[in-house]
Amino acid sequence: MATVELKNVRKTFGRNVIAVDRLDLEVKDKEFMVLVGPSGCGKSTSLRMVAGLEEVDEGEISIGGKLVNDVPAKDRDIAMVFQNYALYPHMTAYQNMAFGLRLRKYPQAEIDKRVREAAEILGISELLHRKPKALSGGESQRVAVGRAIVRKPKVFLFDEPLSNLDAKLRVQMRAEISKLHARLKATTIYVTHDQLEAMTMGERIAVMRDGLLQQVDQPLQLYHKPTNKFVAGFIGSPTMNFIEGIIEKTENSLVFDEGLLKIEIPSRYYKSLNRYIGKPLIFGLRPEEVHYLDSAEYRKETAEIPATVDVVEPMGNEAFLHLIAGKSRLVASTRTSTLPQMGEKIKLTLDLSRAHFFDKETEVSLL
């Protein structure tokens, strides 16, 4: 078993900088876990503590059921792929991949077998004679991954390995790493600040902010059922629309009052929102639930609001409309070929079946 467990883990730098605060996280055997969050949230520090490159101030880290707080990095049976690949410039790709095995005094036949097997898996067999300066970014990344594979470790650790690649190559390498995990079935912890990488690669995702774990769940659960406003805004691109207002009670319904806009709330939300009548809260709706000229049949739970087009961003197969509605700014995602002009006044249809509501003070989801 190569389960990785972090229990009540804390890491500080100096007196006042808390990098990771009371982190509890379990990565299951053979699981692909992604740590995601903005820069400075503690995700790389967490990974480096698992690797043994940073000491744990408080708490426990276990790998395969064994406490490793005081175990040196070289004895933890992990392999790490860094952001800058960390290849030795004077060595060939073959020598870079073989280096760790030679340090451990493996027989040359075993080294050669492992290096060539890894090169075949990664499609770099013809590059083994080249030095890093003769490799592209994607090829260097494959060599760095190959160096990890030959170790056959219990756990793979990836620290933003795709951030130095161009957009097209990142998409390709995301797929390659996912296929590699499916083939090797090794426990993997992958750190990124890119929520798209997290959504497409992770079996589960741990969202972090300011050293604190916000939510751990499967990608679509995070997307559709975020526990707070931060997770709702961080997962998804473009980000979720947020509108501040209060809940008012009319004779037969509840209404969200933005100040200039009023949106009647579907009855499914009454139980959750009744105690917030007259209190400020935040209404959230993803751009794909904001419709413009949508020919599809609307669900029953919709509302129409007026808006003014501020910016139009054609993206090819879809377009993003940046809008001013009441006092708020919204983004709508549309696939229609008929796009409005900047400054045009239009009608929007809001699909309220997937609305979100957050407490304005705590930012916790009310649903």
Side-chain angles (χ1 to χ4, degrees):
M1 292 289 287
T3 301
V4 178
E5 291 184 87
L6 295 89
K7 296 180 180 179
N8 204 30
V9 171
R10 195 169 195 265
K11 177 66 179 177
T12 60
F13 294 105
R15 293 184 177 179
N16 302 316
V17 180
I18 301 175
V20 178
D21 196 8
R22 310 299 177 192
L23 176 59
D24 286 305
L25 182 65
E26 180 182 356
V27 184
K28 301 172 185 176
D29 184 38
K30 301 178 183 178
E31 181 177 29
F32 195 117
M33 170 70 78
V34 177
L35 305 185
V36 69
S39 296
C41 72
K43 56 188 184 298
S44 288
T45 301
S46 300
L47 193 78
R48 290 173 65 83
M49 286 191 288
V50 173
L53 302 178
E54 296 284 357
E55 290 185 0
V56 177
D57 290 341
E58 297 178 33
E60 297 180 347
I61 296 179
S62 300
I63 298 176
K66 178 184 177 183
L67 184 67
V68 296
N69 285 43
D70 299 320
V71 176
K74 64 183 179 65
D75 298 326
R76 292 194 181 191
D77 202 6
I78 57 94
M80 189 162 178
V81 179
F82 296 91
Q83 180 177 353
N84 62 359
Y85 316 134
L87 300 178
Y88 295 107
H90 63 288
M91 294 183 181
T92 64
Y94 182 102
Q95 291 167 334
N96 267 283
M97 292 170 65
F99 184 72
L101 299 179
R102 284 185 173 144
L103 282 182
R104 289 167 176 78
K105 302 188 184 309
Y106 277 75
Q108 179 56 42
E110 179 67 14
I111 292 173
D112 190 66
K113 177 184 175 184
R114 290 196 183 193
V115 170
R116 296 195 182 280
E117 281 180 353
E120 181 67 25
I121 290 171
L122 294 164
I124 55 172
S125 297
E126 72 281 4
L127 305 177
L128 291 178
H129 65 285
R130 294 189 191 178
K131 292 183 177 179
K133 66 180 180 181
L135 300 173
S136 68
E139 290 166 347
S140 295
Q141 199 262 357
R142 282 184 167 89
V143 173
V145 172
R147 184 175 55 191
I149 289 175
V150 297
R151 295 266 312 279
K152 298 184 178 179
K154 287 182 180 177
V155 181
F156 285 102
L157 306 177
F158 290 85
D159 189 8
E160 306 217 34
L162 308 185
S163 60
N164 291 333
L165 304 180
D166 61 56
K168 182 178 180 181
L169 197 52
R170 279 203 303 273
V171 173
Q172 180 183 341
M173 290 310 302
R174 283 204 312 258
E176 291 295 329
I177 292 175
S178 294
K179 287 194 295 183
L180 183 63
H181 175 259
R183 180 169 179 171
L184 299 178
K185 292 181 170 55
T187 305
T188 302
I189 306 176
Y190 186 104
V191 162
T192 180
H193 65 275
D194 185 335
Q195 55 87 22
L196 186 59
E197 267 183 41
M199 290 289 288
T200 55
M201 298 177 72
E203 293 174 346
R204 284 195 303 155
I205 301 172
V207 184
M208 297 186 69
R209 178 193 190 189
D210 297 333
L212 294 169
L213 183 64
Q214 302 292 304
Q215 186 175 354
V216 184
D217 218 324
Q218 295 173 348
L220 291 181
Q221 285 293 103
L222 283 178
Y223 189 81
H224 293 301
K225 295 182 179 180
T227 59
N228 58 40
K229 180 175 178 278
F230 174 78
V231 175
F234 191 81
I235 300 296
S237 181
T239 187
M240 182 182 286
N241 295 300
F242 297 112
I243 306 174
E244 295 187 6
I246 62 172
I247 296 291
E248 294 180 343
K249 188 172 185 178
T250 66
E251 186 176 347
N252 299 313
S253 64
L254 296 182
V255 173
F256 177 79
D257 186 353
E258 180 255 10
L260 298 178
L261 296 174
K262 290 183 183 290
I263 301 171
E264 188 170 330
I265 297 171
S267 59
R268 68 160 71 195
Y269 302 117
Y270 287 3
K271 184 176 180 181
S272 298
L273 300 180
N274 261 324
R275 62 193 178 95
Y276 280 85
I277 293 171
K279 296 180 181 179
L281 49 71
I282 299 170
F283 166 70
L285 198 64
R286 295 205 178 273
E288 62 266 28
E289 311 302 342
V290 181
H291 299 281
Y292 163 71
L293 292 183
D294 196 328
S295 60
E297 291 185 9
Y298 295 129
R299 300 180 178 92
K300 293 180 181 179
E301 298 170 334
T302 61
E304 281 196 356
I305 61 170
T308 302
V309 179
D310 191 31
V311 176
V312 179
E313 291 183 328
M315 305 295 289
N317 66 329
E318 63 180 338
F320 300 136
L321 307 181
H322 296 257
L323 309 150
I324 300 172
K327 299 186 296 183
S328 306
R329 290 186 172 272
L330 305 178
V331 177
S333 172
T334 179
R335 293 184 180 273
T336 179
S337 58
T338 305
L339 297 175
Q341 301 298 310
M342 290 175 58
E344 185 176 337
K345 296 186 183 304
I346 63 173
K347 283 279 188 183
L348 299 174
T349 301
L350 309 181
D351 181 354
L352 302 180
S353 66
R354 292 189 176 177
H356 299 263
F357 295 92
F358 305 93
D359 184 295
K360 186 177 179 181
E361 185 176 348
T362 65
E363 298 190 348
V364 171
S365 174
L366 305 180
L367 304 182

